[in-house]
Amino acid sequence: MQENLIQIDFSQIEGLDPCIQGGYKIIFNQEIPFMIKFPDQEDQSIVETIRVRIMILGNGKDLQQLTLELSSENDLFFYYFHTVDKDNFQVVKTNQKLNTDFFGYPEVCVKTFRRCQLEQQHFAPILYIQQNARAQVSIVQTLEYKELTLITFEMIAGDEEIIKQHVYYKHGAVKSKFQILNAKIKDIHELVKVKNPQLLLHLQKYLPN
């Protein structure tokens, strides 16, 4: 019973995410510092933590589509995505000079952003905000004497409908998680009240009313 009080399962809430409907599976989900540059401010940039999610439809040789998603906890209206399927992968492969096939592309994306997460001194993602609801992410490796662009992802801003779904889900998810956490706190309060009332009295001295 006590283990159940500690464990919190948000899987039902997360399963309502509109971005994973239709069978998508999330294979990467991390927050990473990005350098963000704007078209009219080439000599200026800001650093902001961006959530990177990589989702696939299908798996292995049954892979049908990959979506790379950028979002921000600080701005619910910030949303860019990069989607590749079997039909347009050849263009991506040629432009980026990749030596992998479509079925290996998810691993390339995951390894690339994992390096950005774990080796921030050597691998940095730069987001170039462009005109016409487009952006570009370049992964830059810092070498001893120069910087090398490893790969570039062409991004598209979410349209009004996508943004609306994204905001509704985020708002609802935060509200639902808060309700679950509040209920869990009440359960723990009741357990401590029964098992160790002296501890509860001690804790109440330091808790707000």
Side-chain angles (χ1 to χ4, degrees), residues 5-145:
L5 285 175
I6 297 174
Q7 295 175 354
I8 302 176
D9 184 10
F10 293 137
S11 59
Q12 287 188 339
I13 298 172
E14 293 166 352
L16 298 176
D17 187 341
C19 295
I20 62 171
Q21 301 306 309
Y24 276 90
K25 176 184 177 182
I26 299 173
I27 59 173
F28 185 84
N29 183 7
Q30 297 292 335
E31 288 189 328
I32 301 174
F34 272 66
M35 180 179 292
I36 303 178
K37 296 189 175 184
F38 301 91
D40 299 329
Q41 305 172 14
E42 295 183 1
D43 58 338
Q44 298 182 9
S45 62
I46 62 173
V47 176
E48 184 170 337
T49 299
I50 301 297
R51 179 165 294 279
V52 178
R53 296 202 305 177
I54 300 173
M55 298 163 283
I56 57 174
L57 182 62
N59 199 8
K61 295 300 181 181
D62 294 323
L63 180 67
Q64 301 174 42
Q65 194 173 77
L66 174 142
T67 296
L68 165 65
E69 172 197 271
L70 304 181
S71 62
S72 172
E73 300 298 328
N74 297 324
D75 182 359
L76 293 180
F77 296 92
F78 177 93
Y79 187 90
Y80 286 88
F81 66 96
H82 160 87
T83 297
V84 177
D85 57 25
K86 294 179 181 178
D87 296 330
N88 61 16
F89 175 73
Q90 191 58 46
V91 175
V92 174
K93 180 176 181 177
T94 301
N95 291 342
Q96 298 301 313
K97 299 179 181 179
L98 300 177
N99 58 2
T100 184
D101 58 15
F102 174 62
F103 306 110
Y105 190 53
E107 184 178 1
V108 170
C109 295
V110 169
K111 283 186 175 180
T112 298
F113 283 100
R114 186 163 286 139
R115 281 184 163 186
C116 293
Q117 177 196 12
L118 301 176
E119 303 176 54
Q120 295 180 17
Q121 292 183 337
H122 302 291
F123 297 91
I126 302 175
L127 174 63
Y128 297 91
I129 304 294
Q130 301 173 346
Q131 304 292 344
N132 302 320
R134 292 186 175 273
Q136 187 181 78
V137 172
S138 293
I139 307 301
V140 176
Q141 181 181 8
T142 301
L143 303 175
E144 186 175 359
Y145 297 110

